Amino acid sequence: MAIDVRNPSPEYLAFWREYHLCTLSTPRADGSPHLVAVGATYDPEGGYARVITNKRSRKVANVLAAGADGARVAVCQVDKGRWATLEGVATIRTEPEVVADAVRRYAERYGRTPAPNPDRVVIEIALTRGMGRA
Protein backbone atom coordinates (compact mmCIF):
# COMPACT_ATOMS: atom_id res chain seq x y z
CA MET A 1 0.00 0.00 0.00
CA ALA A 2 1.36 3.44 -0.94
CA ILE A 3 1.98 5.90 1.89
CA ASP A 4 2.16 9.70 1.77
CA VAL A 5 5.58 10.10 3.44
CA ARG A 6 4.75 13.67 4.55
CA ASN A 7 1.33 12.72 5.92
CA PRO A 8 1.38 9.07 7.04
CA SER A 9 -1.47 7.41 8.86
CA PRO A 10 -1.24 7.42 12.66
CA GLU A 11 -0.67 3.64 12.57
CA TYR A 12 2.21 3.91 10.09
CA LEU A 13 3.86 6.68 12.09
CA ALA A 14 3.39 4.76 15.34
CA PHE A 15 5.07 1.73 13.77
CA TRP A 16 8.10 3.90 12.94
CA ARG A 17 8.18 5.17 16.54
CA GLU A 18 8.35 1.63 18.00
CA TYR A 19 11.66 -0.10 18.68
CA HIS A 20 12.47 -2.10 15.55
CA LEU A 21 15.74 -2.81 13.83
CA CYS A 22 15.67 -1.90 10.18
CA THR A 23 17.51 -2.80 7.01
CA LEU A 24 19.15 -0.26 4.72
CA SER A 25 19.76 -1.09 1.09
CA THR A 26 22.40 0.95 -0.78
CA PRO A 27 23.69 0.37 -4.30
CA ARG A 28 27.13 -1.15 -4.85
CA ALA A 29 29.24 0.02 -7.79
CA ASP A 30 28.03 -2.97 -9.83
CA GLY A 31 24.40 -2.06 -9.12
CA SER A 32 23.74 -4.94 -6.74
CA PRO A 33 22.15 -4.12 -3.38
CA HIS A 34 24.20 -3.91 -0.19
CA LEU A 35 21.78 -4.68 2.65
CA VAL A 36 22.63 -4.16 6.32
CA ALA A 37 20.87 -3.94 9.66
CA VAL A 38 20.61 -0.42 11.07
CA GLY A 39 18.70 1.76 13.47
CA ALA A 40 16.68 4.35 11.56
CA THR A 41 14.46 7.27 12.38
CA TYR A 42 11.61 8.76 10.38
CA ASP A 43 10.81 12.48 10.26
CA PRO A 44 7.63 12.96 8.21
CA GLU A 45 7.52 16.71 8.92
CA GLY A 46 10.94 17.17 7.31
CA GLY A 47 10.48 14.39 4.76
CA TYR A 48 13.57 12.44 5.89
CA ALA A 49 14.72 9.14 7.30
CA ARG A 50 18.10 9.09 9.03
CA VAL A 51 20.71 6.51 9.91
CA ILE A 52 23.69 7.30 12.12
CA THR A 53 26.86 5.40 11.30
CA ASN A 54 30.63 5.48 11.06
CA LYS A 55 32.06 7.51 8.18
CA ARG A 56 34.23 4.51 7.17
CA SER A 57 31.31 2.11 6.71
CA ARG A 58 30.55 0.41 3.38
CA LYS A 59 27.07 1.96 3.32
CA VAL A 60 28.59 5.45 3.51
CA ALA A 61 31.08 4.56 0.76
CA ASN A 62 28.21 3.34 -1.42
CA VAL A 63 26.27 6.58 -0.96
CA LEU A 64 29.34 8.72 -1.63
CA ALA A 65 30.20 6.70 -4.75
CA ALA A 66 26.86 7.69 -6.25
CA GLY A 67 28.05 11.28 -6.52
CA ALA A 68 26.75 14.67 -5.46
CA ASP A 69 23.16 13.88 -6.43
CA GLY A 70 23.04 11.05 -3.86
CA ALA A 71 22.12 7.39 -4.01
CA ARG A 72 18.71 5.77 -4.36
CA VAL A 73 18.18 3.74 -1.17
CA ALA A 74 15.49 2.04 0.86
CA VAL A 75 15.07 1.49 4.58
CA CYS A 76 12.64 -1.14 5.79
CA GLN A 77 11.32 -2.75 8.98
CA VAL A 78 9.17 -5.81 9.57
CA ASP A 79 7.23 -7.13 12.56
CA LYS A 80 5.16 -10.23 11.88
CA GLY A 81 2.53 -9.09 9.33
CA ARG A 82 3.38 -5.41 9.67
CA TRP A 83 5.98 -3.87 7.41
CA ALA A 84 7.10 -0.43 6.29
CA THR A 85 9.50 0.75 3.61
CA LEU A 86 10.77 4.27 3.00
CA GLU A 87 12.59 5.07 -0.24
CA GLY A 88 14.50 8.13 -1.30
CA VAL A 89 17.80 9.74 -2.15
CA ALA A 90 20.56 9.46 0.43
CA THR A 91 23.34 11.92 1.06
CA ILE A 92 25.97 12.03 3.79
CA ARG A 93 25.73 14.78 6.39
CA THR A 94 28.66 15.63 8.65
CA GLU A 95 27.63 18.94 10.23
CA PRO A 96 27.83 18.66 14.05
CA GLU A 97 24.30 20.00 14.56
CA VAL A 98 22.85 17.54 12.03
CA VAL A 99 24.70 14.63 13.65
CA ALA A 100 23.57 15.74 17.14
CA ASP A 101 19.95 15.96 15.99
CA ALA A 102 20.12 12.50 14.42
CA VAL A 103 21.65 11.06 17.62
CA ARG A 104 18.85 12.68 19.65
CA ARG A 105 16.21 11.16 17.37
CA TYR A 106 17.92 7.76 17.58
CA ALA A 107 18.00 7.95 21.40
CA GLU A 108 14.32 8.87 21.45
CA ARG A 109 13.34 5.90 19.32
CA TYR A 110 15.71 3.27 20.69
CA GLY A 111 15.83 4.31 24.33
CA ARG A 112 19.58 4.80 24.55
CA THR A 113 22.11 7.41 23.56
CA PRO A 114 25.00 6.00 21.53
CA ALA A 115 28.50 6.51 22.88
CA PRO A 116 30.28 9.56 21.47
CA ASN A 117 32.00 8.85 18.17
CA PRO A 118 34.06 11.51 16.38
CA ASP A 119 33.69 9.49 13.15
CA ARG A 120 29.87 9.50 13.25
CA VAL A 121 27.99 10.77 10.21
CA VAL A 122 24.37 10.73 9.13
CA ILE A 123 22.93 9.03 6.11
CA GLU A 124 20.05 11.39 5.41
CA ILE A 125 17.38 10.09 3.07
CA ALA A 126 15.18 12.64 1.31
CA LEU A 127 12.01 10.58 1.06
CA THR A 128 10.24 10.04 -2.23
CA ARG A 129 8.06 7.02 -1.52
CA GLY A 130 6.57 5.02 1.33
CA MET A 131 4.93 1.65 1.36
CA GLY A 132 3.67 -0.69 4.00
CA ARG A 133 0.99 -2.23 6.12
CA ALA A 134 1.12 -1.17 9.74
Side-chain angles (χ1 to χ4, degrees):
M1 166 171 31
I3 304 295
D4 178 351
V5 295
R6 293 289 201 129
N7 189 26
S9 71
E11 296 81 14
Y12 192 81
L13 184 56
F15 187 42
W16 277 102
R17 300 283 191 249
E18 295 171 10
Y19 186 111
H20 295 287
L21 291 180
C22 303
T23 59
L24 174 68
S25 180
T26 60
R28 292 186 179 107
D30 68 1
S32 65
H34 175 258
L35 189 67
V36 294
V38 297
T41 61
Y42 173 33
D43 171 14
E45 295 83 17
Y48 295 101
R50 295 178 181 89
V51 173
I52 56 175
T53 189
N54 190 293
K55 67 183 180 183
R56 292 181 187 84
S57 71
R58 170 50 44 199
K59 54 192 167 289
V60 168
N62 289 345
V63 171
L64 291 173
D69 290 338
R72 300 277 315 159
V73 304
V75 63
C76 181
Q77 63 183 24
V78 176
D79 179 47
K80 299 180 180 147
R82 299 184 304 159
W83 62 276
T85 299
L86 296 168
E87 298 178 12
V89 178
T91 55
I92 304 303
R93 302 290 303 269
T94 60
E95 305 90 332
E97 66 277 6
V98 172
V99 174
D101 181 60
V103 168
R104 180 190 60 76
R105 290 170 187 273
Y106 177 97
E108 189 175 284
R109 180 174 190 196
Y110 291 103
R112 71 172 193 84
T113 300
N117 178 355
D119 291 334
R120 181 171 290 130
V121 298
V122 178
I123 299 173
E124 186 173 75
I125 306 163
L127 300 174
T128 58
R129 184 181 316 185
M131 300 175 285
R133 184 176 59 192

